[in-house]
Amino acid sequence: MHDRERMSGGEIRAGGGLALVFAFRMLGMFMVLPVLSTYGMDLAGATPALIGLAIGAYGLTQAVLQIPFGILSDRIGRRPVIYAGLLIFAAGAVLAANADSIWGVIAGRVLQGAGAISAAVMALLSDLTREQHRTKAMAMIGMSIGLSFAAAMVIGPLLTRAFGLSGLFWATAGMALFGILIIAALVPAAPRVLQHRESAVARQALGATLRHPDLLRLDFGIGVLHAILMATFVALPLALVERGGLPREEHWWVYLVALFVGFFGMVPFIFYAEKKRRMKQVFCAAVAVLLFCELYFWLLGGGLTALVLGAVLFFTAFNLLEASLPSLVSKVAPAGGKGTAMGVYSTSQFLGAALGGIFGGWLYQQGGLGTVFVGCALLCALWLAIAVTMREPPYVTSLRLSLSPAALRDEALRERLLAVPGVADAEVVAEEAALYIKVDTQKLDRTSLERLIDPAPVRAEA
């Protein structure tokens, strides 16, 4: 029993190694955000609209290939897809590093996005971890993504100051190749390919996911959030130069302060939302704060101090929303549909990033900084109008339980499970010999649940 409660050495290596791969890849993707609108104008043929396209271009191919690459990894194996994706990502970085025009950088960013390995990495993580530890391993990847974004905002300006845009892209290529070495040397070989609907896209659940009203609201929300992020990063670095008088080489400390304060600023609200079961109210308030920030940048962001204060508030709201949205998707998705819901969610995120970069660059070219902030404010207002119509999410935990042969033969098992106090949804998947179930842990009658499934101890993933 003691061994089952602790992650094995192989599970720790798998979680840590894959988290590092994710971190290096996202670091390479995001490092250009704080520098491209200021340094990119030195490239031949650069216009504000094309700078915006270069910022968001990776999202176009990422959105298109995210789900297909995940499905391909089910057929040919996780590692070949991950290796190929990292090589494609590195090739895109090399193309951008050698570019002397904005179109070369755009082509490189598009190619970078084609290395869409997120779904394959998550599926490999499922193959390499036991169910009771899978949530911990996925949390390691989630933390690595958040930390890599924060690090990118600081490292990007410092690298570009030292080595230029070309050096930044060469560093990105090196990170991708190092990711291949991590997979080969650190991540254990998977004993089998696991079909797991909580971490991979199931084609059977795709239709229901695309018709689910609250999931569609959340997909729209993550798309808008990343559209606003990309559009804001077309304008904010330029505002720091033009309005704040801060040289582009010194922008790193602004992002360091904003992200550090913003991260710790959002933590109390996350705890409050979960503990008091007020997720909708906190979520909508964060969207309203984001709206306020864009209006503030438009009307009041006239000096360096004002811009730094606005950036702190912006990243507090952004971090809160970025952390809340996946949790809401997990709660709202039907039993056995979380992997599919997250696949569609990720696609929406990357599509929003692509459109946001294009949108921000075009708005800046048409009317300058103020026009970008007004456009972002209008997007926030539309999002807020949609967000307030969503229902309060169910406060449930997703579990995947192994079923005994006797339980699998029980044709009425699902109906009996739904009658257990605290069980919100259930789905029996015979080909996996598994039950996907959503429960309210504060109300769950565990004894009745265990008696229905198997007299043996229940193996669950929280």
Side-chain angles (χ1 to χ4, degrees), residues 212-387:
H212 196 294
D214 282 337
L215 285 177
L216 290 176
R217 287 183 179 91
L218 297 172
D219 294 335
F220 178 80
I222 191 60
V224 168
L225 181 63
H226 278 257
I228 290 168
L229 177 69
M230 297 299 160
T232 298
F233 268 105
V234 170
L236 185 58
L238 294 170
L240 289 171
V241 173
E242 295 175 18
R243 296 180 181 179
L246 187 69
R248 63 188 185 180
E249 293 82 9
E250 302 298 324
H251 287 192
W252 65 270
W253 69 260
V254 175
Y255 302 122
L256 178 62
V257 170
L259 282 158
F260 183 81
V261 177
F263 174 79
F264 287 102
M266 67 100 178
V267 170
F269 296 102
I270 291 285
F271 282 118
Y272 173 80
E274 286 283 359
K275 188 172 182 181
K276 299 295 185 181
R277 301 198 166 194
R278 296 287 182 87
M279 286 199 75
K280 179 183 175 181
Q281 292 90 328
V282 171
F283 180 80
C284 291
V287 178
V289 170
L290 208 62
L291 169 59
F292 169 80
C293 287
E294 297 297 339
L295 294 174
Y296 173 88
F297 284 137
W298 173 43
L299 296 170
L300 301 173
L304 182 58
T305 302
L307 286 168
V308 173
L309 289 173
V312 167
L313 196 58
F314 176 88
F315 279 111
T316 301
F318 175 83
N319 288 336
L320 179 56
L321 290 163
E322 185 82 349
S324 299
L325 277 161
S327 176
L328 286 167
V329 170
S330 178
K331 293 178 187 300
V332 169
K338 186 169 76 172
T340 306
M342 289 304 299
V344 175
Y345 168 90
S346 296
T347 299
S348 304
Q349 172 183 327
F350 292 121
L351 189 59
L355 296 177
I358 297 167
F359 177 66
W362 180 80
L363 285 178
Y364 180 76
Q365 188 160 306
Q366 298 304 309
L369 294 175
T371 308
V372 179
F373 295 132
V374 170
C376 289
L378 290 173
L379 269 180
C380 280
L382 175 61
W383 183 14
L384 184 59
I386 291 172

Side-chain angles (χ1 to χ4, degrees), residues 106-125:
I106 290 169
R109 292 282 282 171
V110 169
L111 190 57
Q112 279 185 308
I117 61 168
S118 300
V121 169
M122 297 303 283
L124 180 58
L125 189 69

